[in-house]
Amino acid sequence: MKKYIKWALDYEDSIDPADPLGNITFAGDTGIIREKDIFLDSFLEALVEGLSISNTQKISSIEIIDEPDKLIFIKHNQELQIQYKNQSITIYDIDSFSYQLSISISNFLSTIDTALAEMGKQKYEFDQLRTYVERHSEEQCFFKF
């Protein structure tokens, strides 16, 4: 199975759960989107929103909080193209990409939640991300039967 998503938090000082700065790479079936020093939560939320909208719209433009550029989603038949700045990827297996995104988000949330617990703080909401992960884990359970 192709690995579409890779992210890493910036551990230079320590994790800042309020502003989780890091790097992210999306390797499509064609093309790569690679960004450094971005707020991972905002980027992942925009990606979730864009994937959701691409189910009903052929073209969508999603703003990323704290970033001047937008994510552009173009769905053509069973393929999805995602553009960011001058970078572009095409994904042939949208379900696999979506599943991997769910796993990546789950790992991201776990890392942030652990850092918060070590600080003695409660979990941040990250509602859109948590809902996406929950929905995908329920779908996986449904398909196992």
Side-chain angles (χ1 to χ4, degrees):
M1 176 188 291
K2 179 164 185 57
K3 178 126 172 109
Y4 289 107
I5 305 161
K6 181 178 178 183
W7 60 268
L9 282 164
D10 181 0
Y11 286 99
E12 191 171 305
D13 296 320
S14 63
I15 296 174
D16 181 357
D19 293 320
L21 196 62
N23 305 327
I24 197 161
T25 301
F26 299 99
D29 293 295
T30 63
I32 293 177
I33 295 175
R34 188 174 287 130
E35 285 298 310
K36 294 184 177 197
D37 301 323
I38 60 158
F39 294 107
L40 291 170
D41 58 329
S42 300
F43 209 93
L44 291 169
E45 286 173 353
L47 196 60
V48 165
E49 182 179 347
L51 276 176
S52 176
I53 291 173
S54 72
N55 288 326
T56 58
Q57 296 179 17
K58 289 186 185 246
I59 299 175
S60 59
S61 175
I62 307 299
E63 289 189 34
I64 304 171
I65 298 172
D66 302 318
E67 294 293 328
D69 298 294
K70 297 179 180 184
L71 276 172
I72 308 296
F73 293 78
I74 303 168
K75 189 169 183 185
H76 181 71
N77 297 325
Q78 299 303 311
E79 295 178 6
L80 180 65
Q81 183 180 38
I82 302 172
Q83 300 172 354
Y84 185 68
K85 296 181 180 176
N86 62 346
Q87 305 170 84
S88 177
I89 62 172
T90 300
I91 298 157
Y92 301 141
D93 186 349
I94 299 170
D95 289 338
S96 179
F97 180 81
S98 182
Y99 174 71
Q100 287 183 36
L101 178 61
S102 173
I103 292 170
S104 291
I105 291 171
S106 180
N107 291 338
F108 169 78
L109 292 171
S110 177
T111 301
I112 297 297
D113 291 348
T114 299
L116 286 165
E118 289 172 359
M119 295 174 182
K121 296 182 178 181
Q122 291 187 2
K123 291 180 183 179
Y124 289 168
E125 291 184 8
F126 294 123
D127 288 340
Q128 188 176 19
L129 297 179
R130 291 188 196 282
T131 299
Y132 188 79
V133 169
E134 288 170 12
R135 187 179 66 216
H136 278 80
S137 85
E138 288 170 2
E139 287 174 5
Q140 289 303 312
C141 288
F142 176 75
F143 289 120
K144 287 183 180 178
F145 296 108

